[in-house]
Amino acid sequence: MPKRTVSLDVSNLENFVYDMSRCIKCKGCTWVDHIYMPGIKFSTRCPSATRYLFDSYGAYGKMRIGLALAEGRIQYNDKLLHILYACTLCGACDVGCKRNLDLEIELTLEALRVKAVKDGMAPLPQHRKVVQNIMTQHNSLGASPEKRRNWLPQEIEPSQKAEVLYFTGCSASYRNSEIAQATVKILDVAGVPFTLLEEEWCCGNIIYSIGMIDEARKIARRNIEEVRRKGAGILLTSCAECYRMWKVDYPKMLNIATADLGFKVLHLTEYVYELINKGLLKLTKPLSLRVTYHDACSLSRLSEPWIPWQGERGLWGVTSPPIPRRRGTNGVYEEPRRILQSIPGIEFVEMIRKRENAFCCGAGRGVKEAFPDFAAWAAEERLKEFKEVGAEVLVVACPWCKNNFSEVIKAKGEKIKVLDISEIIADSIATEVRGGK
Amino acid sequence: MAFPKEVYSILEDIVGHEYISADPVICEGYRAGPAGYECGLGYERVMTRVPGCVVMPRTTEEVQKIVKVCNRYKIPYVPYSTGFYGARSHPHVENALLIDLKRMNDLEIDEKHLYAVVGPGVIYSQLQEEAMKRGMYTVIGGGGSQCSAIANMIGDGWSPLSHRIGLPHRRILGAELVLPDGELLRLGSLALQDDPFWGEGIGPDLRGLLRGYTGHRGFLGIVTKMAIKLLPFQPEKLEPTGVSPNTALMLPEKRVKWINFTMPSFESIKKAMYEIAKAEIGAAVTRVPLFWRIIARAGSKEEFWELWSKENEETVNAFFVLRVLLIGFTSEKQLEYEERVLMDIVKELGGEPRRTRPTDESWFKNADSAGMWLMCGGYVSVDYVIETIEHATAQCKNFAELKRSYTPPLMPDYADPGWFQCFELGHQGYSEFLIYWDPDEDTTRVDHFYLETAKENIRKRFYTALLGSHQPLYLTGPAYGPNYHKWLLKIKKEFDPNFVCHPPFPLSHDFFVEQAEWMKPLKDWGSPNLNEILPKEIAALMKTSSQSKEK
Amino acid sequence: MGSKIKTMEIKMNLIGEELTKIVGPENFSADNSLLEKYSRDYSLSPSGRPNYVVWPRNAEEISRILELANKYQIPVIPVSSRAHFYGATIPKQGGIIIDLSRHMNRILEVDELNRRVRIEAGVTWKQLVEELRKRGFRVIMPLLPHPERSVVTDFLEREVPTNTVYDYGEPLQGMEVVWPTGEIFRTGSASVPGYPDSPSRGANPTGPGIDFYRFLQGAQGTMGIVTWANLKIEYLPKIDKVLFAPVTDLSYIIEFLYRILRLRIGQECLLLNNINLAIILSGSMNLDFEKLRSSLPPWTLVLVLSGLQRRPEEKIQYEEEALRNIVKNEFHEVQLSENLPGVLGAGKKLLKLLREPWPKETYWKHLYKGGCASVFFITKPVLAPKFISKTQEVAAKHGYLPEEIGMYIQPIEHNRACHLEFNFFYDPNDLDNVEKVRGLRRALYPILLNEGAFFTRPYGELAKLVYERAGSYASVLRRLKNIFDPNNIMNPGNLCF
């Protein structure tokens, strides 16, 4: 068989025919890594497969369906679209597969959605509203763009120009002002000047995630240009989804490396960890809390920097040059934990499924909008685990996680507290807000 | 031709509408290939079909009802736990009903009496962890942690940890078997009570129907519950460490220890096995082929090939590594004692211990088995045998020779005689012969090699795992027993008169040879009289597919 | 009617003639006094006479006999031992006794390297143990088997071994069987073409295709005639230390066994009550039975620690240390000692007994009163005390003194289960006594069944009771038997056939 030219470009499903055709049904994509398997309970990390049960909902089923689609052996129907979209693209399958087999599962799933859009089968009716919101109001909530900065506390003033640009994101701007406020409080106390984009647009997470790659690319270009114009060296965010978009999917869409963006992309937890190590931030106010931490997918499994690749694949499937593999090994796992464990009074317990084995909250990548029941179900599953470990507070690092968990907690009347890590950090800083520069 | 609507609605009433689907997309998700165990080969392409309908029962009662419906309406059905066994776990006829058992995932453990009771949806990974939490362990078969414990227990079921417990069928206690006609057979103590703590029959032991040396791939009914023996372990925890993909269990070194030894020759490894077995020490004793070491060191497929291409027949055949696991079941002192004995033996034979990591990447949780496909994309174990250590080593050397003329398309392994291990404290040896190929290449000769090994075994009078459903029944049947196939088919006919349970097993490989043009030149044995064996409805479903002429 | 009888007579004569042709006149008999001998055994089963006895020389002869039996629809009863306890070889519907003990009693191979022996069905415990001992080997054994019993039969019948430490349990490997249809067949890895002239040594019992040998286990000669079998053998330990512990609280010692056997301590490990131990020791050592039986504690735990082939002292050392720690920290009341009070040299004597068949003329179970009716089953060890008190209750109701019951608990594989056995001794010449015991046993069976006793080896009239309760099991068994024995000629009347 002659060598084939392949790239990691998700706008062409042909690039992933190899991956789809090499799935062996080991279900490493579904099960928790066997080394970390907790037992008969909490044994899976794929919400779709766990909820819908048919093989077709796990990545191992999707690979087969995707291959049939690529080879024209199957027609679109409602079931197929449900299978493609009732999935948070959480990356558990990708990491699970790469433990042993190194197939590009996540990219394949993204490419399938791009194809669905290209074939006119998507976006789904349930996504139309949020798409319209983002395309016209530049935020996923359809709220007024003028009110995007209303969260900013009076006593804190962003700089016109600064090394750190805080990308607030739609959720923190409009729904979770506590996160944005906590974030800027932290920067303020640490004496870190920060700036904001004059006209901050949605990062385009949903647009990209549901497969509208062309539109997403336009947003990416515009957003990157805005940041470059600002001259910031660091784009800081406290939303895992925004983080992943900026750090991974923007370069992916533009076929550049993360390193070539022109600025670093950091999540608040990474930055705070740096600040603590430099002695610029001290978390000394004791908090008497028994907490556990939920690893956000986009901050952990999916967060390794993007490296574009194109090459050839030949005998035995050997690629040249070798594909640089992103296996979720170097996700942001440690920093949030070290931060929490350093706060006096905090008793830290791990979730049963942690780090790369975490069970997605269920909200991301278009699922909350299209399949709210599924999103609620996934959150409920994760909350069962929370109860099992006997913590008081569920700490998250993403407003999507926070909101999804909170909604379920409220609906069920549970007595569980969910806090974003920014809030905990902010609470543990002894000093009051100093006021911006 | 779609799945019959009337039957669909009856089944829907049995399991509930959420747990049944005949949607072509859902069914496509259950396709066997193109990759998987023994996939990407002619057998998978010619023989497998996508199911016509998938149903997911929760209870034994539901399974019985489903099977009875299939018998009434002559619907072929296939029991399915994970589908990981590849082509042979999947339907071979059009419009079959795939009975996906994953919802039957209850697990209970009787810690005092060292057994677990599981449904087919429970995988080894879950079982092993629950066992280890309670100071016990199980042997996870070579298929890996992801295998259904029941499916593997009635299919294969051994690993280097079988050094002490040996053959997997010994670990089956009481069980439930839904016979192909839908009647329920309760085996072992379940025949008289609800506690499946003991497996022997009342008189003759009908557990004999569950499997042979290997399984018969589900043509004699569906096991819906099984009690599995657990083995006493030691009390220290094996701590999971690392981040994917480099995760491993940290071993409590005073109680659990792997030691690798460099030995001077192949013979000395054999001798060491005999001596270790005679001394009745060890928890696993296995030869490590160079190939495995390269896999362990390589961080990716490309790195593997880079390293592997530096090896040759000389380096491969000069690599003699023995790997021994010691477990201090009784106490730390036991491990120390066994280590002293082991060092005595190795020293006598001129071997040297090597530095060995205090971790277990594989065998306790057997998390690595999917890595078998990493190198080439295609993999099957073309033979695996449990017989004496001598037989095991003679056979693997024999295959290494035979394999030369089929390389390529087989992956070059420079005549490595493969891996073998000690079994049942030296009363047996186990050797497994794995082959790899690139599914995008012409795999005709892989199909040929697979069949050739069956003939070679007969010629050389070796025992083999690949009898029954794995090779043409009419080729192996007359040779072994002799005529074991006669009895197998009689048993099949008695308990599955409608031939609806996973047709056309046990004749699937016979069918494959008949239907694949490129296999016909190898046929030099008798054919089954299908009119006698198969009811006409099933025979009709076995019509040649359009793919049979393809290569 | 007369012509019917005549036809019958002609047929029987014809059969006799044909049998004689197959085995030779010196290996055929229809002599009444000889037939009488086969019509009864040590059990309480009613007698039943065969019509003929033949002593075949090889599997081919057996095959031809079976073809004949099928032709004439006459039952056959395979016999390999010279002593029988359970009535399984008593013909229930007449027929031909096929006795392998005379000619088919060779030790065919002793394969020291692979720790395997291949023996014909007629090989006795006495024969085998002597041969193995000469070479430094042993086979794991049940408790005190009769020296003239067939080793292969006892293993097929799943006699429970006294050794608890081997995870792989049963010694059976590949064997040769003549199916009731007359076909000669090899099971497991002995099924390879040309065996034993093959690299395959018959070391794997499973397959081919299906686990045939499982159908032969516990079959009481109803599924086929095994002519030879491979068995696993083990090395004789280099050093042994026999420990005893007196037991008054059975539950306590059972908990102790749960604890220590899981740690893989010991080789042989068993519990005998005072009666049984007294019989065994007095019978083999010429001691006073009554004195011994009253001086022994209610139960005695026997635990053998062994050092194997290498550094044997060190193995015993670490096992003893582990035992000491457990006794000290968790089970203070267990008093392990190498001495058995009242019996000098008990350890050495018992060790010999445990590794050999019963050494005396009269079988130990018959020493006390002459006859013994046994009831045994598999259960969980923790349940043993419950079964014991139930049995004692029933015994008392039937006029059998509870303190006269012989009892034996054999832990199995790390004490995951146990064999529990009750021996009821009686004088076979005292018909009232016999009836009493018969009645007691009959009453006991359903009670034990209700309590959860798992009878894996239902002999005699127990079979009917058990199979009635295990209806679906019985029905599948019959369907299976019908495949191998369509004319139901293979020892009909046993089990559910």
Side-chain angles (χ1 to χ4, degrees), chain A residues 8 24 55 68 79 122 144 170 207 223 237 258 295 312 315 408 430:
Chain A
L8 295 182
I24 63 172
D55 279 13
K79 208 45 133 188
S144 162
C170 303
I207 303 292
N223 281 349
T237 173
T258 299
D295 289 274
E312 285 186 326
L315 184 60
V408 167

Side-chain angles (χ1 to χ4, degrees), chain B residues 14 35 54 166 276 312 389 400 457 468 485 505 538:
Chain B
I14 294 171
V54 176
I276 290 168
N312 54 46
I389 291 174
N457 282 327
H485 64 309
F505 282 77
I538 304 297

